[in-house]
Amino acid sequence: MAGRFRQTAAKRKGKSITFVEKGVKNRKPLAECERNAYTEPRFKRKTTQIIGRKRRGIHMRNLFRNLISGVAAAALAISIFPAAAFAAGNDQQTHITILGTSDMHGNPWGYSYEDDKETANNGMARLYTYIQQVRAEQPNVVLVDAGDDIQGTIMTDDIANKRPNEAHPVIAAMNQMGYDAMTLGNHEFNWGIPTMKTILSQANFPVLAANVKDASGNFVTGAGWTITERDGVKIAIIGVVTPDVPIWDGGKAGIEECTYEAASTAVKEAIQAINGQADVIVVSAHMGLYAEFDEEGGSDSAQKILDDNPEVDVLQVAHNHVVVKQKEGNVVIGGVRNSGRDIARFDLTLDADKNIVDSSVEIVDMTGVTPSEELRANPVVAKAHQETRDFIKGGTGADGEKGSALGSTTAKFQPTNEIAGLPEGKLRDTAVMDLINKVQLENSGADVSAAALFKDTSDLPKGEINYGNIFDIYKFDNTLYRVRVTGAELKAYMEWSAECYNQWVPGDINISFDPEYPGYLYDMFAGVDYEIDLSQPKGQRIKNVMFHGAPLQDDQTLTLAVNNYRYSSALKSQ
């Protein structure tokens, strides 16, 4: 194909609709992406600036539901790493094990509700099995979570989080698991701060955010750090969340009333406040090692925390859904993938003077671990699980029969991949992307729509469609914006998206995607016709952009339908 392919897009059909004004501050998008890399990648993205745009919002997933309505005990061995070796240690030494989870994303059971089936390698129930076994073998265990827990599944997003005053299944599970502390993640803010605080008030453990303060100057969760004790050893846990929260959730209740401090600065302040009361300093950071936006200042970089705070002994990272396992000097650093896929284990040995003399970090994969039936039997978890399964099927009647489907399809919406690892949905027009952009165009009245295939496998199957299928193609509770852009700004945004590809060079047998760019960053556009020339370097690939049959001029003004995350990151941030 000589490095060039053509992507066409359907023309819009206008429709009047009432919008609600939304406000957004500068910063970034975050969608879920499970990566199997064992080192954390740097994500460096160029952004196009659009200042002073007004955008009007409507919630996305309900649009899809409305459209479709009209047409979805054998126990396995578990590895317990250095615990046996510690059991025979020196009597003058103390051994502490810190277990770290993060990004559990509303998955207490270990279940894919969009597919209505059990998973094989994730979920809080599997984590609890491992945690219980470690506790049985090692008395000095501390359990810490680094956030992004109350969001991410139909159970949380469509049911539990819309009833914040009722018992929450994730918090109920965490209470049973016996956490010592939890750090806020950015997704805890998705429903606004009042809802977040109501849900988290159910926790029997401190929730930490040392770098987020309310208008009164108090920690938004009431705590920035906590100290717990094991066998005479005092362990301080400091929690910080990426300060980029306003990028994604600005305009939601309470978000803009808070201040979001640089993580390294907040950690330094916490260490000063702890004032030598702790023998071990643990930082639980909901961010990656490398800056996501603030590459110059490092306000959202966990590496900057270490650079500025040599007192830190253990660093837990999160947010990027990648495995991190390394030592930097004497500091052990660990991070896990999403949905309860892994757990980080930090083992520390302290001498009689409570100095750390040895430390290690391991990442334990939950594949093959038997889910805890004890956790699944938790009344709140069990009720929420069954209610969610009923919900995706349209509910059940008094006779126990499932409700009617939302609609039906005559064929799959995604073609079969011709090359493994290259989703056809990102290479050519497909019904699934046409559907998403059609919904955005018709409900916004915009000229052009931009949207991504959040999962390479996102599809509507042939046959009956239920809510789980809708969630599968659009799982995030985003808000749809309509914004004014110039032709030049739209082309720059399209170039930003086209950076996801590798450059084609003579001798390549197929096109490919740059592994440094998560797949959810590749947007496709409807309402314009355009070509992507992959023989050109990044920033020079978008060619022959046509709008209503004529070349799109740089000074031409049009309206764009785009979700709130992409608006803040690809269009407005920085």
Side-chain angles (χ1 to χ4, degrees):
M1 62 181 62
R4 180 186 291 265
F5 71 96
R6 183 175 181 82
Q7 183 150 357
T8 58
K11 301 296 185 289
R12 71 174 180 90
K13 295 181 180 178
K15 181 179 180 181
S16 64
I17 191 162
T18 301
F19 292 91
V20 178
E21 289 286 356
K22 294 287 180 182
V24 176
K25 280 190 176 181
N26 294 356
R27 289 181 164 271
K28 138 188 182 177
L30 195 259
E32 304 218 5
C33 174
E34 178 176 305
R35 292 172 60 91
N36 294 321
Y38 279 74
T39 57
E40 182 177 340
R42 294 176 184 259
F43 298 143
K44 296 184 179 179
R45 303 308 310 270
K46 296 179 181 178
T47 57
T48 303
Q49 188 174 39
I50 297 180
I51 301 174
R53 307 291 182 213
K54 288 193 175 181
R55 56 272 178 202
R56 303 182 178 272
I58 48 180
H59 288 291
M60 286 293 299
R61 204 179 309 126
N62 288 338
L63 304 181
F64 291 100
R65 188 175 186 180
N66 293 339
L67 181 65
I68 295 296
S69 313
V71 248
L76 297 175
I78 303 173
S79 297
I80 305 296
F81 288 93
F86 286 166
N90 189 314
D91 290 342
Q92 299 300 310
Q93 294 182 334
T94 304
H95 306 289
I96 305 293
T97 297
I98 300 167
L99 298 179
T101 63
S102 74
D103 300 279
M104 296 187 293
H105 285 293
N107 189 24
W109 195 275
Y111 203 86
S112 173
Y113 293 104
E114 52 266 44
D115 301 314
D116 195 23
K117 66 180 183 182
E118 298 258 356
T119 61
N121 58 7
N122 64 26
M124 297 168 70
R126 286 185 172 84
L127 294 172
Y128 191 41
T129 296
Y130 178 81
I131 291 164
Q132 287 180 301
Q133 189 162 344
V134 174
R135 284 173 172 160
E137 300 189 10
Q138 161 62 281
N140 301 322
V141 177
V142 178
L143 181 59
V144 182
D145 183 84
D148 271 10
D149 298 317
I150 65 170
Q151 173 275 344
T153 62
I154 298 172
M155 174 191 284
T156 54
D157 300 10
D158 293 282
I159 302 176
N161 294 349
K162 293 182 172 156
R163 306 171 186 170
N165 292 307
E166 297 183 12
H168 196 283
V170 172
I171 302 302
M174 293 181 76
N175 285 338
Q176 183 173 344
M177 294 165 76
Y179 277 85
D180 292 282
M182 169 191 170
T183 297
L184 285 184
N186 59 285
H187 280 292
E188 266 69 59
F189 292 84
N190 284 170
W191 286 265
I193 287 177
T195 295
M196 175 186 77
K197 293 176 73 171
T198 298
I199 292 171
L200 295 179
S201 69
Q202 302 173 29
N204 295 337
F205 45 84
V207 181
L208 311 175
N211 64 326
V212 183
K213 294 180 181 178
D214 61 22
S216 300
N218 300 315
F219 294 123
V220 69
T221 60
W225 52 273
T226 188
I227 296 178
T228 188
E229 187 171 337
R230 296 293 187 276
D231 199 12
V233 176
K234 293 183 178 179
I235 303 149
I237 305 164
I238 303 168
V240 285
V241 60
T242 169
D244 302 327
V245 166
I247 285 184
W248 311 304
D249 290 307
K252 295 178 181 176
I255 301 294
E256 294 174 353
E257 283 71 46
C258 289
T259 58
Y260 304 83
E261 191 174 29
S264 61
T265 302
V267 169
K268 184 175 291 293
E269 293 169 352
I271 291 173
Q272 291 172 350
I274 291 166
N275 194 26
Q277 299 175 61
D279 304 303
V280 176
I281 301 288
V282 177
V283 173
S284 175
H286 190 84
M287 63 194 68
L289 276 174
Y290 304 115
E292 191 165 17
F293 285 95
D294 187 13
E295 292 186 3
E296 182 175 345
S299 63
D300 54 356
S301 161
Q303 181 63 54
K304 178 71 168 171
I305 294 173
L306 294 185
D307 294 344
D308 293 352
N309 298 280
E311 302 91 341
V312 175
D313 300 301
V314 177
L315 175 63
Q316 179 188 21
V317 295
H319 184 59
N320 285 340
H321 302 176
V322 298
V323 166
V324 178
K325 185 185 75 169
Q326 62 192 69
K327 288 189 76 170
E328 189 168 314
N330 294 321
V331 182
V332 280
I333 307 168
V336 299
R337 290 172 288 183
N338 57 317
S339 301
R341 177 72 187 274
D342 315 287
I343 192 166
R345 175 174 176 148
F346 306 93
D347 283 294
L348 310 179
T349 302
L350 291 82
D351 64 18
D353 295 324
K354 299 179 182 176
N355 298 310
I356 298 174
V357 296
D358 192 23
S359 60
S360 64
V361 56
E362 296 289 344
I363 306 300
V364 185
D365 193 323
M366 291 296 103
T367 300
V369 175
T370 302
S372 168
E373 292 304 324
E374 181 183 349
L375 189 71
R376 287 182 170 185
N378 181 299
V380 178
V381 173
K383 178 183 176 183
H385 174 66
Q386 188 57 52
E387 186 175 7
T388 306
R389 292 194 67 201
D390 292 342
F391 177 78
I392 63 176
K393 297 174 183 177
T396 56
D399 58 0
E401 293 296 319
K402 74 172 184 177
S404 60
L406 296 177
S408 62
T409 64
T410 58
K412 280 170 50 48
F413 273 46
Q414 266 245 56
T416 302
N417 294 343
E418 295 182 6
I419 301 174
L422 286 178
E424 289 296 311
K426 293 180 178 178
L427 303 181
R428 57 186 169 112
D429 282 342
T430 63
V432 68
M433 281 310 305
D434 285 349
L435 173 64
I436 294 171
N437 276 320
K438 176 182 174 69
V439 168
Q440 293 191 169
L441 287 171
E442 290 195 353
N443 286 276
S444 68
D447 300 311
V448 178
S449 173
L453 193 67
F454 291 132
K455 289 195 317 181
D456 289 351
T457 58
S458 290
D459 193 11
L460 290 179
K462 179 180 179 180
E464 291 188 344
I465 300 301
N466 61 36
Y467 190 77
N469 302 125
I470 304 302
F471 192 87
D472 186 51
I473 67 169
Y474 206 101
K475 70 181 297 183
F476 301 105
D477 200 22
N478 292 336
T479 300
L480 180 63
Y481 288 167
R482 182 178 65 197
V483 298
R484 291 193 178 278
V485 295
T486 65
E489 290 166 337
L490 178 62
K491 292 173 188 176
Y493 173 23
M494 296 169 76
E495 289 284 5
W496 177 92
S497 176
E499 290 179 7
C500 290
Y501 286 99
N502 287 319
Q503 184 172 0
W504 179 89
V505 295
D508 285 352
I509 60 173
N510 57 263
I511 64 176
S512 61
F513 290 94
D514 187 334
E516 292 294 305
Y517 293 74
Y520 58 77
L521 291 181
Y522 177 57
D523 283 354
M524 290 164 272
F525 299 82
V528 288
D529 296 335
Y530 59 106
E531 296 174 355
I532 303 177
D533 186 351
L534 297 181
S535 68
Q536 299 301 310
K538 293 178 180 181
Q540 303 175 33
R541 294 173 172 175
I542 299 299
K543 310 292 183 183
N544 301 324
V545 182
M546 306 291 288
F547 178 62
H548 289 177
L552 180 65
Q553 303 301 313
D554 286 350
D555 60 355
Q556 193 170 347
T557 300
L558 61 166
T559 54
L560 172 70
V562 63
N563 72 58
N564 59 310
Y565 280 87
R566 194 65 89 238
Y567 171 75
S568 299
S569 62
L571 292 175
K572 185 176 182 291
S573 81
Q574 303 184 20

